[in-house]
Amino acid sequence: MKQVGILAVQGAFAEQARAFREAGGATFEIRQLSDLDKPMDALVLPGGESTVQGKLLKDLGLFGPLRTRIVQGLPVFATCAGLILLAEHLVDDPTVWFGVLPVTVRRNAYGRQLGSFATRGPVGDMPDVPMTFIRAPAIAAVAPEVEILSRFGDQPTGVRHGNIWAFTWHPELTDDLRVFRRFLAADRGTAQAFSSQPLR
Ligand code: GLN
């Protein structure tokens, strides 16, 4: 059974833990440096408030060790604020946290009116996956080597790049566990996760 470390300093970590357990993983929370001594097959960066999470990661001494593991190929599953922490660039904002995912992200992209909404659509070769957006960021640009897994309109909302899977929406807020199962079944880092051609 894969051991999934869930970053639990702020945000929707309990929901991620529930979803990963229901999808067949074992989970533990990452709150302090000593939690990184546990065997870890994958890391989850939950939604929440990226600025708060980034600062807490630095204060707790977790930032550097986690970044090193991500760069070394640890599988990462990120939603929303987690995607913001991973992005190489933010729109109109010089902040860079981990800076390991070659995408440009716009925070709070859908404004106040459409701040939170639900829709359904394909994720890679999986049809009709429910997607919940909460004050979601948008992926404004992706490097050519980034695989696009899901879209809202013509804009990417889910991406995969090597060991990193990241979504602007919250798969953990529905009972549809297909995305979690697929992530847990994927080989570490390199394997193509989806059998269909990437959506472009
Ligand atoms: N708006 C949040 C941020 O900028 C992200 C929202 C979320 O994680 N649901 O960090």
Side-chain angles (χ1 to χ4, degrees):
M1 191 182 273
K2 286 200 174 157
Q3 303 293 326
V4 183
I6 316 255
L7 181 67
V9 295
Q10 191 270 338
F13 54 85
E15 293 83 351
Q16 290 280 2
R18 178 198 60 80
F20 270 98
R21 280 197 303 269
E22 287 181 9
T27 66
F28 66 96
E29 293 187 348
I30 299 171
R31 295 176 180 272
Q32 55 192 1
L33 205 48
S34 59
D35 293 327
L36 298 185
D37 297 339
K38 296 170 190 164
M40 174 160 52
D41 299 310
L43 169 69
V44 173
L45 300 177
E49 200 51 48
S50 53
T51 310
V52 176
Q53 292 183 4
K55 286 186 178 142
L56 283 169
L57 284 175
K58 293 205 165 169
D59 291 349
L60 294 164
L62 286 165
F63 186 84
L66 284 179
R67 186 175 191 283
T68 300
R69 295 206 190 191
I70 297 168
V71 170
Q72 288 172 345
L74 178 69
V76 182
F77 186 95
T79 57
C80 222
L83 163 70
I84 295 167
L85 292 181
L86 293 169
E88 277 186 2
H89 306 282
L90 302 181
V91 175
D92 297 332
D93 185 342
T95 307
V96 181
W97 297 104
F98 292 124
V100 293
L101 179 63
V103 301
T104 301
V105 170
R106 181 189 300 277
R107 293 182 63 198
N108 302 317
Y110 298 94
R112 289 186 186 281
Q113 285 300 317
L114 201 58
S116 301
F117 59 100
T119 181
R120 306 179 73 93
V123 178
D125 58 4
M126 300 183 289
D128 201 34
V129 177
M131 305 177 190
T132 307
F133 294 75
I134 301 172
R135 296 185 60 231
I139 299 170
V142 300
E145 66 271 22
V146 173
E147 183 182 357
I148 296 172
L149 302 180
S150 63
R151 294 178 185 273
F152 179 66
D154 59 3
Q155 204 151 45
T157 58
V159 293
R160 193 188 73 96
H161 182 246
N163 52 313
I164 298 176
W165 298 41
F167 300 92
T168 65
W169 45 280
H170 288 265
E172 78 281 11
L173 296 182
T174 72
D175 292 331
D176 192 314
L177 298 171
R178 284 178 288 169
V179 176
F180 298 94
R181 293 209 178 93
R182 191 66 71 89
F183 175 77
L184 286 173
D187 287 336
R188 188 182 170 102
T190 48
Q192 183 78 14
F194 292 91
S195 54
S196 66
Q197 288 297 309
L199 306 167
R200 280 285 166 197

